Amino acid sequence: MSDLPPCPKCGSEFTYEDGNLYVCPECAHEWTAADTQAAEEASVIRDSNGTPLADGDTVTVIKDLKIKGTSSVVKVGTKVKNIRLVGGDHDIDCKIDGIGPMKLKSEFVKKV
């Protein structure tokens, strides 16, 4: 087994080294180790203050958030426990007491 990273473009595990480049034989994508590190750092989800978030964290809402399709609002200071991080635009999956399951953007919360 090799310890080479999978291809960031297609996810193939059959990468190989060619000098200081990694090459994917399936899609012909080439990248460097620095590109791999930058992609890993970019995938870290951070709150509004830049603090990294993790599954199971507790966060506080920093802005009134209107709930689409209803007249309800998530108020400033609402504490959300046991968050789950997911990919996409709304990168936090959670349940808010009194409202139910929701997806939040990490830019509108801060870690407690």
Side-chain angles (χ1 to χ4, degrees):
M1 296 228 8
S2 70
D3 57 345
L4 297 176
C7 176
K9 190 171 183 182
C10 70
S12 172
E13 297 177 1
F14 302 112
T15 58
Y16 63 90
E17 287 183 283
D18 185 19
N20 63 348
L21 291 175
Y22 295 121
V23 181
C24 175
E26 294 184 10
C27 69
H29 181 68
E30 297 179 351
W31 72 100
T32 64
D35 295 340
T36 303
Q37 291 173 350
E40 289 174 358
E41 291 175 6
S43 66
V44 174
I45 297 174
R46 299 180 181 275
D47 69 359
S48 61
N49 295 331
T51 307
L53 296 173
D55 286 345
D57 282 346
T58 300
V59 296
T60 303
V61 177
I62 62 166
K63 177 183 175 183
D64 281 348
L65 301 173
K66 293 181 181 178
I67 301 173
K68 194 173 189 176
T70 69
S71 60
S72 301
V73 175
V74 178
K75 298 285 188 178
V76 172
T78 301
K79 192 177 280 190
V80 182
K81 299 177 183 177
N82 199 19
I83 64 170
R84 189 177 61 144
L85 302 178
V86 295
D89 188 32
H90 292 75
D91 44 15
I92 297 176
D93 209 7
C94 63
K95 285 186 182 178
I96 298 178
D97 293 337
I99 296 174
M102 287 196 67
K103 291 187 176 231
L104 300 173
K105 290 186 178 184
S106 58
E107 63 193 65
F108 298 122
V109 299
K110 71 176 182 177
K111 188 172 179 179
V112 176

